[in-house]
């Protein structure tokens, strides 16, 4: 051997380069565009109106006569039309106002400082212009961050860039007054075209959009509440997916959950629509001045507080610790009754806002309160079922608290099948119905609903179900059963918050002058 190691050559095939168009399907793209436009037809309307406004201002440059009047300054009309044109009429008016104030202010400053620079002499002129640009930039950038002026942020931005362009153009081309006036005319033409096209051609009103968004939020909260309760009562815990998978998939089998989550994220959207609606003239159903748009935002805020409870209910449904299914359906009647009345009230409030009619919700609110009180009373009467590890010193008294409805529900269970699943020798008095019920509830929960999830066999392998193991098992069962108390308390809290929601909608109906339902 010569001390050299033999080299081993490994051939690694080069990675295949995927084309940018690989996996692209024209039919799929067209189908996605179709669905995107079908979700909101106003998107197509807005796009066509934008194209129309740009075409109209471009004709001023394409036609000879307007071009001879304005010359190259007509490009400012196109720029203004593109920048000012917003989705809703109110947003366009708002941006147009900021654009007009900023442009006029910039024009006045440019003319004044331009004249001052000319009087300063040829040498000092660029110095004066440079210092003025710096100072205007500092002042406008500082003022647009002031909390009271946040809604005029676009106006300060327009002032800065319009002033800078005008003052530099005047310095290079001379005659600052003529240049400033020509460009101001061009900007005014572009702004007028954008406003007229947006307001007269299939207008999209911010007020209508806000009412529609608010009504959709009411329906989303009601649908999500019913969907959550239905899933909680139907789920038997046998096929419970892992929490990480459900979070990753974002609960694809619960469409109302995603809508309710969108309600929680709608605060900024409602605020923007309210600010835009304030700039709109009386139109359609909103024919009086000073419509209380800010009160609509307040209603949306109260509704979001109710949506928080629904999201918390979804959290209980998808939690790792679950109450036994047979314990959940014990209170099924009270839970469904409270849910149906609460959802009916929420939808009724949304309907009032949609139709702009005022109706009394006293009877519906009383039904919600009475149903939640019945649920609370049922939980209170049978609270010992949620703390099965506590030994009651007087079992006879505890058995007497069982209501007739509870005894009827217990009769529906197949006790023979349950007794066949029992393992271990747990003592039970023959005449004590409550002990019997607790044994029936406890042992299936050991198999399915203990935390961490453990079957009865796991306890038996540790040495059988003895005296030392029983307290641990009862504590685990009680933790699982208490999740039902969490679910019902959240449902009761949702019903309590509806009182504030009714008050907020009533206040809006008075300020907005809703018609009475009988008229």
């Amino acid at each position: 051997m010569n001390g050299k190691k033999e080299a081993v050559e490994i051939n690694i095939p080069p990675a295949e380069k995927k084309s940018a168009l690989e996996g692209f399907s024209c039919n799929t793209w067209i189908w996605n565009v179709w669905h995107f436009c079908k979700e909101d037809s106003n998107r197509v309307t807005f796009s066509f109106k934008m194209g129309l406004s740009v075409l109209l201002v471009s004709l001023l440059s394409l036609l000879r006569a307007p071009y001879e009047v304005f010359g190259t300054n007509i490009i400012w009309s196109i720029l203004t039309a593109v920048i000012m044109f917003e989705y809703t009429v109110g947003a366009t008016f708002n941006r147009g106002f900021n654009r007009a104030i900023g442009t006029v202010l910039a024009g006045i400053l440019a003319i004044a400082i331009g004249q001052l620079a000319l009087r300063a002499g040829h040498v000092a002129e660029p110095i004066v212009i440079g210092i003025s640009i710096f100072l205007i930039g500092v002042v406008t950038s500082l003022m647009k961050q002031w909390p009271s002026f946040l809604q005029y942020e676009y106006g300060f931005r327009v002032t800065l860039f319009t002033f800078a362009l005008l003052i530099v153009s005047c310095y290079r081309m001379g005659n600052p007054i003529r240049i400033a006036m020509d460009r101001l005319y061009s900007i005014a033409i572009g702004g007028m075209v954008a406003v007229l096209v947006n307001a007269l051609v299939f207008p999209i009103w911010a007020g209508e959009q806000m009412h529609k968004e608010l009504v959709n939020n009411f329906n989303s909260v009601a649908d999500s509440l019913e969907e959550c309760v239905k899933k909680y009562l139907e789920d038997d815990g046998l096929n419970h997916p892992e929490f990480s998978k459900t979070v990753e998939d974002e609960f694809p089998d619960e469409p109302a959950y995603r809508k309710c989550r969108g309600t929680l994220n709608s605060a900024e959207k409602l605020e923007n629509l309210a600010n835009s609606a304030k700039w709109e003239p009386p139109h359609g159903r909103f024919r009086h001045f000073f419509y209380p748009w800010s009160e609509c935002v307040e209603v949306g805020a109260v509704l979001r507080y109710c949506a928080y409870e629904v999201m918390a209910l979804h959290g209980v449904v998808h939690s790792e610790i679950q109450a036994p299914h047979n314990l959940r359906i014990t209170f099924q009647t009270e839970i469904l009754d409270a849910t149906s009345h609460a959802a009916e009230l929420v939808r009724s409030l949304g309907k009032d806002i949609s139709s702009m009619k005022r109706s009394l919700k006293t009877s519906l609110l009383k039904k919600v309160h009475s149903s939640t009180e019945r649920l609370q009373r049922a939980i209170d009467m049978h609270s010992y079922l949620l703390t099965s590890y506590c030994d009651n010193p007087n079992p006879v008294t505890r058995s007497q608290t069982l209501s007739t409805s509870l005894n009827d529900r217990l009769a529906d269970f197949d006790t023979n099948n349950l007794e066949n699943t029992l393992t271990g020798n747990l003592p039970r008095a023959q005449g004590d119905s409550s002990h019997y019920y607790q044994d029936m509830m406890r042992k299936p929960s050991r198999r399915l609903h203990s935390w961490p999830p453990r079957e009865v066999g796991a306890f038996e392998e540790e040495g059988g179900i003895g005296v030392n193991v029983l307290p641990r098992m009862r504590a685990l069962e009680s933790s699982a059963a208490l999740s039902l108390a969490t679910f019902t308390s959240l449902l009761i809290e949702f019903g309590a918050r509806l009182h504030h929601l009714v008050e907020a909608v009533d206040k809006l109906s008075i300020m907005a002058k809703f018609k009475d339902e009988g008229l």
Side-chain angles (χ1 to χ4, degrees), residues 123-359:
V123 177
E125 183 179 3
I127 298 177
V128 173
I129 292 176
I131 293 176
S132 65
I133 293 176
F134 172 77
L135 292 178
I136 295 298
V138 171
V139 173
T140 54
S141 299
L142 180 63
M143 294 303 295
K144 72 180 183 180
Q145 301 178 64
W146 198 266
S148 302
F149 297 144
L150 287 178
Q151 56 180 333
Y152 305 112
E153 184 268 341
Y154 176 70
F156 288 109
R157 191 187 307 173
V158 168
T159 301
L160 176 58
F161 81 75
T162 303
F163 170 79
L165 292 176
L166 285 176
I167 197 68
V168 171
S169 300
C170 294
Y171 173 71
R172 287 301 179 185
M173 301 176 64
N175 197 358
I177 298 178
R178 174 63 185 276
I179 294 174
M181 294 304 296
D182 288 343
R183 295 191 176 181
L184 289 177
Y185 291 149
S186 300
I187 292 173
I189 293 174
M192 289 298 296
V193 170
V195 170
L196 292 176
V197 170
N198 205 342
L200 300 180
V201 181
F202 300 105
I204 304 174
W205 302 102
E208 291 286 353
Q209 293 290 317
M210 185 175 187
H211 265 239
K212 181 179 179 181
E213 180 70 19
L214 196 58
V215 172
N216 289 338
N217 289 345
F218 273 87
N219 294 331
S220 298
V221 171
D223 294 342
S224 183
L225 175 65
E226 291 181 337
E227 180 184 74
C228 175
V229 172
K230 180 180 179 182
K231 187 174 182 63
Y232 186 73
L233 295 177
E234 289 181 351
D235 185 15
D236 57 0
L238 296 176
N239 298 320
H240 211 64
E242 296 181 6
F243 182 74
S244 59
K245 293 182 179 179
T246 57
V247 171
E248 182 179 356
D249 296 338
E250 296 183 347
F251 311 121
D253 58 333
E254 301 178 25
Y257 166 82
R258 295 191 295 272
K259 294 181 181 179
C260 185
R261 186 178 58 185
T263 301
L264 299 179
N265 300 328
S266 63
E268 185 177 358
K269 184 177 182 180
L270 291 177
E271 188 72 30
N272 293 334
L273 289 174
N275 292 333
S276 299
K278 293 177 182 178
W279 293 91
E280 294 177 348
H283 62 278
R285 300 184 298 170
F286 313 101
R287 296 179 180 178
H288 57 276
F289 291 94
F290 307 110
Y291 190 87
W293 300 112
S294 58
E295 192 61 33
C296 294
V297 177
E298 292 296 327
V299 172
V302 178
L303 179 63
R304 284 194 300 276
Y305 278 101
C306 296
Y308 292 146
E309 299 296 329
V310 179
M311 297 299 289
L313 288 172
H314 276 277
V316 176
V317 172
H318 296 283
S319 63
E320 291 286 353
I321 303 176
Q322 291 291 333
H325 181 248
N326 47 8
L327 178 59
R328 277 179 274 174
I329 63 175
T330 301
F331 304 94
Q332 180 177 8
T333 302
E334 290 82 0
I335 292 176
L336 289 178
D337 190 38
T339 302
S340 62
H341 288 130
E344 182 183 1
L345 178 58
V346 173
R347 290 195 180 95
S348 179
L349 293 174
K351 184 179 179 181
D352 286 353
I353 296 177
S354 177
S355 61
M356 297 186 67
K357 292 184 179 180
R358 185 183 179 187
S359 60

Side-chain angles (χ1 to χ4, degrees), residues 84 95-106 154 158 184 187:
M84 278 186 53
R95 179 152 290 203
F97 174 80
N98 283 271
R99 177 77 175 179
I101 297 298
T103 301
V104 171
L105 182 60
Y154 176 70
V158 168
L184 289 177
I187 292 173

Side-chain angles (χ1 to χ4, degrees), residues 22 130-131 135 144 167 340 381 444 449 472 491 499 502 511 518:
E22 185 177 352
I131 293 176
L135 292 178
K144 72 180 183 180
I167 197 68
S340 62
M381 289 177 59
H449 303 284
R472 294 172 53 197
L491 185 58
H499 177 72
V502 171
M511 298 178 64

